[in-house]
Amino acid sequence: MVVLSELPEGFSSSSSTHGHSPSTCGPSSSTRDHRYDVFLSFRGVDTRLSFTNYLYEALVDANITTFLDDEEIETGEDLKPELESAIKASRASIIILSKNYASSTWCLDELVLILEQRMRSNHIVFPIFYHVEPTHVRKQQSSFGDAMAKHKLKMDEETEENKRSQWGQKIERWNKALIEVANLKGNDINGRFETEFIKEIVKDIYRRLHVPLLQSFQPLLIGMDYHINLVTSWLKDGSSHTADILTISGIGGIGKTSLAKHVYGLYCREFQTSSFIEDIGRRCDGKYNGLLDIQKQLCGDISKTSPIQVYDVSKYTSMIENAVARKRVFLVLDDINSIDQLDALLGSKGFHPGSKVIITTKDRWLTESCALFKKNIKPKHTKHFLHGLNETESRQLLCSHAFMCNHPKEGYEEVSGKLLEYCEGHPLALEV
């Protein structure tokens, strides 16, 4: 048996498209008249390497076809034709109004065109006020006022009457656009975790655009139908226990995370709050603040607020216990490898009735050793062990990655057979 417990460096079980090209993740949800679900308008110098990148990846992972341009244009240049086309080919736009947004004539031209599309074709607009005040955008104060003043100065410095007139017309359109976008209902990030904020944006887009829930890539789920049905049945059993816990166990690379991620994507919105914490074992191993960072993420996810930064595992555990006692939650704790991790993330006081917890681990006996199971009222616990794929499923998975079809290409039958024998039904080995 070949055991690949970790993905190779730089290798991911799901991918997203970066740069100028649109997302190709999953089946497109666009109508025949739209190539993209969302166009991102942003000032690269402010957010390209941070918030915008995180938002783009979240949209792609959520099956929302998104256009993000990979080039920065110099102030004063005209909007590129491909950007105009992308805006017109999108169902919605997210406008990230950051400190230096109005300093870019390109951004302002995008804004004007987006708002024109809103009037002409029911184009949906999602303004995000990224550490700026809506009133500063509306009244062109602070950095927005400074930017508009510089544009007016360039107009005044223009010696050709025709070009000066063009500048004046543009500035008038920009002023009106800034007022209009500031008057729309937008999202303000101030005082909030970016990860939680991005989740809410994605959920809002799902709701407004009716984008279908992401179905995991089929090659990753070959041979998983039985397991998906079993976990789905467990989720929908109507249990009223303090909590229902499902432990999915198996060797590294056998598909535990892929299974949990797929089911979480399908059903997380049916709970009051939810959280998927991936790769816990690796994030904790050898890192002083690893567990604290994971607790902070979990606490923020389920409380939907920015938790107070603390440096004590037991204090975070208490905060988590209080949060899960008040809401029906769905948690996935992926790659647990110690009892300490379970005690820190689950506590011992119990969950709100109807809550569900999935734990993935290589050690199926860890779960019932944690503090939550030492109380008089224990949660209901179900164990599920993942085995390797059978020969037919293994061949399909191998060929889907190697040949983009279900069978070996001519001339590759013998080597494919040797690989199947070598990997012995291990999904990650077959995939890699």
Side-chain angles (χ1 to χ4, degrees), residues 17-35:
T17 304
H18 292 273
H20 187 94
S21 301
S23 156
T24 56
C25 175
S28 173
S29 58
S30 302
T31 66
R32 282 183 294 178
D33 296 329
H34 295 95
R35 186 177 177 188

Side-chain angles (χ1 to χ4, degrees), residues 376-408:
N376 291 331
I377 302 177
K378 297 177 175 61
K380 182 180 177 182
H381 185 211
T382 303
K383 302 188 190 79
H384 183 59
F385 184 77
L386 286 187
H387 297 276
L389 304 177
N390 63 35
E391 185 177 352
T392 300
E393 295 163 347
S394 296
R395 180 178 292 103
Q396 187 180 353
L397 181 59
L398 173 67
C399 293
S400 68
H401 286 283
F403 310 116
M404 304 302 173
C405 60
N406 291 333
H407 304 284

Side-chain angles (χ1 to χ4, degrees), residues 226-378:
Y226 166 76
H227 306 291
I228 292 170
N229 291 336
L230 186 146
V231 178
T232 298
S233 177
W234 169 81
L235 271 172
K236 293 179 169 292
D237 71 354
S239 170
S240 59
H241 291 270
T242 307
D244 265 7
I245 296 180
L246 171 66
T247 299
I248 301 174
S249 60
I251 63 174
I254 203 68
K256 304 182 296 294
T257 302
S258 296
L259 173 61
K261 186 178 291 185
H262 177 78
V263 174
Y264 179 83
L266 292 175
Y267 299 106
C268 63
R269 291 166 187 81
E270 296 185 10
F271 293 78
Q272 287 178 278
T273 188
S274 58
S275 179
F276 188 107
I277 311 293
E278 190 169 359
D279 217 5
I280 292 171
R282 184 189 61 80
R283 290 171 62 184
C284 288
D285 287 346
K287 297 181 180 178
Y288 178 73
N289 285 329
L291 186 54
L292 282 170
D293 290 341
I294 291 167
Q295 286 183 303
K296 180 180 179 181
Q297 179 184 344
L298 177 58
C299 197
D301 285 349
I302 57 182
S303 65
K304 299 197 176 190
T305 59
S306 302
I308 301 171
Q309 180 70 50
V310 297
Y311 299 95
D312 186 315
V313 168
S314 62
K315 289 183 179 178
Y316 261 135
T317 300
S318 180
M319 294 165 65
I320 293 168
E321 287 175 330
N322 291 335
V324 300
R326 295 194 300 266
K327 298 178 180 178
R328 180 173 169 267
V329 302
F330 179 21
L331 308 182
V332 176
L333 305 180
D334 173 61
D335 187 32
I336 291 288
N337 63 15
S338 78
I339 296 172
D340 289 343
Q341 293 163 6
L342 285 177
D343 287 344
L345 298 172
L346 298 180
S348 61
K349 294 183 179 179
F351 284 65
H352 190 280
S355 294
K356 300 282 185 175
V357 180
I358 294 178
I359 295 167
T360 74
T361 179
K362 297 171 189 173
D363 184 353
R364 72 176 84 182
W365 307 111
L366 276 178
T367 302
E368 291 187 2
S369 301
C370 72
L372 192 61
F373 282 82
K374 295 178 181 177
K375 298 296 181 181
N376 291 331
I377 302 177
K378 297 177 175 61

